[in-house]
Amino acid sequence: MAIINFKEKIIQIKIVYYGPGRSGKTTNLEYLYSSLKKKFNGDLPSKLITIDTQGDRTLFFDFFPIELGKINGLDLKLQLYTTPGQVMYESTRRLVLKGVDGVVFVADSLASREEANLESFQNLKDNLAHHKLGLDDIDLVFQWNKRDLSENGIPLLDMESMENQLNSSVKTKSFPTSATLGTNVFKTLNVAAKLSVTSVIEKLLDKKHDLPN
Amino acid sequence: MSIVLSEEKADRLDSSLSKLLDESGATYAMLTDMGGNLLSKAGDESFDGAALAVLTAANFAATKEIASLIGEKDFSLLFHRGENENIHFSKINADIIMIALFKPYLSLGLLRLKVDSIKEELHEILGE
């Protein structure tokens, strides 16, 4: 549910980090938040909101707004959300997807999490359908997260098979990432934001008549 | 539902909220959608408005689940009493929530009356 406000000159877009439990969705947001905080010397207008349980599992969502420069003279504001990954938090996952413009699917590269990735991706499709949306209606980007673990000899899924399993029908962009180290975290967000903004502008502005010239 | 607010619409929403503050004595009012996007606000803001919008939408969504547990469709009005601030949430339509902050000495009944009275105006501005 994007908002364009011509008085405040802002375009606001909602991006949700989705994926199985413990795949690193919150870590993505924490990395973005702490890097930006460092960059602006601690002077950020908004805090990272996180509603989690004991043991750092996300209970409801994490949220963080980012301002990312101008598009067509409008300030671009991104609302970043994560969903709780654990299976039992089904209803909150559905709630967070309301009004979503873009999804970053954070897939877990651990070999043992193959099934969990597939289940979570199917769950994303089901929950989008609940909002009468399909994968075509949103902009999706994949992260193959935890790639750094291969250095420690931990068995990982190879990226080709992850592509085949998750990205063969959608054929969208995907990135090998390490959310803890920050590898490709900003890049994923940039691409997700760019894709979402382009579709929102196409969807909203081309059809409306009350635009300023 | 995505929303495009023209300058004129945004101005009219802002002035409706300011009118609500004048007439009810509330200190702050905000409109947000169910996705947590802030649409309009008026009054003194000494806190993070974007966060209030997001948490309000989440709060509504959570209480909607509570409502369905006990066989209600949803709750159209929520109210929290604090020591120095009270907060009142009400649904303007299926997608928009109004938030009003007011001091404990102000009557809740008066606030509710005033909120109800500007609902129609807001519907008209939002194009219903």
Side-chain angles (χ1 to χ4, degrees):
Chain A
M1 181 147 29
I3 300 277
I4 299 183
N5 184 331
F6 283 106
K7 187 187 176 202
E8 309 286 338
K9 299 208 170 8
I10 53 168
I11 175 167
Q12 190 161 294
I13 281 170
K14 177 168 182 176
I15 293 183
V16 174
Y17 284 73
Y18 209 93
R22 295 247 167 225
S23 65
K25 303 171 292 294
T26 300
T27 314
N28 261 275
L29 245 68
E30 281 171 351
Y31 179 80
L32 291 164
Y33 178 68
S34 62
S35 316
L36 289 170
K37 200 172 169 188
K38 222 179 272 170
K39 190 172 163 196
F40 293 104
N41 293 326
D43 196 20
L44 280 178
S46 291
K47 278 199 288 194
L48 176 71
I49 296 175
T50 160
I51 308 178
D52 55 19
T53 47
Q54 280 183 344
D56 76 8
R57 290 180 168 205
T58 305
L59 170 63
F60 207 153
F61 58 78
D62 311 296
F63 166 78
F64 178 49
I66 296 189
E67 296 185 25
L68 268 195
K70 279 187 192 293
I71 291 197
N72 290 7
L74 300 169
D75 285 325
L76 172 61
K77 286 192 177 187
L78 298 179
Q79 310 266 52
L80 305 181
Y81 290 75
T82 66
T83 54
Q86 278 69 32
V87 176
M88 64 184 193
Y89 298 125
E90 180 65 12
S91 54
T92 46
R93 245 189 326 272
R94 210 180 293 148
L95 297 174
V96 175
L97 280 180
K98 189 174 171 66
V100 63
D101 299 298
V103 169
V104 175
F105 189 90
V106 184
D108 196 328
S109 295
L110 289 176
S112 56
R113 298 296 281 162
E114 189 173 0
E115 198 61 31
N117 290 332
L118 292 172
E119 258 173 41
S120 174
F121 191 56
Q122 183 55 46
N123 181 259
L124 168 66
K125 288 192 260 187
D126 295 346
N127 282 333
L128 284 172
H130 180 84
H131 295 292
K132 299 188 175 58
L133 293 172
L135 287 179
D136 296 342
D137 299 308
I138 54 148
D139 291 285
L140 179 67
V141 175
F142 284 99
Q143 276 193 350
W144 315 133
N145 196 26
K146 307 191 184 173
R147 296 317 297 183
D148 56 308
L149 291 183
S150 65
E151 288 164 19
N152 306 335
I154 297 171
L156 297 186
L157 297 161
D158 67 88
M159 288 198 282
E160 202 179 327
S161 64
M162 293 180 90
E163 286 280 346
N164 285 337
Q165 283 182 336
L166 298 164
N167 198 8
S168 56
S169 57
V170 204
K171 292 196 173 53
T172 182
K173 300 236 176 191
S174 60
F175 300 92
T177 54
S178 160
T180 38
L181 303 178
T183 320
N184 279 342
V185 167
F186 271 98
K187 190 157 184 195
T188 325
L189 178 63
N190 272 333
V191 171
K194 213 169 171 181
L195 290 173
S196 313
V197 169
T198 316
S199 5
V200 163
I201 288 182
E202 272 171 19
K203 254 188 268 175
L204 283 184
L205 295 191
D206 290 346
K207 289 180 196 158
K208 293 281 170 178
H209 309 292
D210 54 349
L211 291 180
N213 294 318
Chain B
M1 185 195 75
S2 294
I3 299 173
V4 175
L5 282 183
S6 63
E7 263 190 84
E8 188 231 331
K9 264 189 188 178
D11 273 338
R12 288 178 65 197
L13 288 179
D14 289 354
S15 57
S16 285
L17 292 188
S18 302
K19 193 171 91 183
L20 174 74
L21 297 189
D22 287 346
E23 291 182 358
S24 67
T27 49
Y28 180 83
M30 174 195 277
L31 290 172
T32 170
D33 69 10
M34 289 291 181
N37 292 301
L38 201 164
L39 298 180
S40 172
K41 58 186 180 178
D44 304 326
E45 186 181 81
S46 52
F47 47 83
D48 182 353
L52 178 63
V54 165
L55 290 171
T56 297
N59 195 13
F60 249 84
T63 43
K64 188 175 177 178
E65 294 293 315
I66 298 177
S68 71
L69 276 180
I70 61 166
E72 278 291 318
K73 193 166 160 270
D74 61 10
F75 299 120
S76 56
L77 182 154
L78 304 174
F79 164 62
H80 299 309
R81 183 183 293 279
E83 209 166 297
N84 300 308
E85 290 287 353
N86 293 343
I87 191 160
H88 177 273
F89 309 91
S90 57
K91 255 174 95 163
I92 300 298
N93 63 24
D95 281 305
I96 312 281
I97 308 163
M98 156 123 60
I99 303 160
L101 253 70
F102 63 105
K103 296 290 174 194
Y105 51 77
L106 204 76
S107 138
L108 173 63
L110 175 71
L111 183 86
R112 286 177 59 182
L113 209 64
K114 293 296 174 188
V115 168
D116 273 344
S117 73
I118 71 155
K119 267 188 187 170
E120 207 154 304
E121 195 175 315
L122 295 171
H123 286 165
E124 193 217 325
I125 302 170
L126 294 163
E128 287 159 30

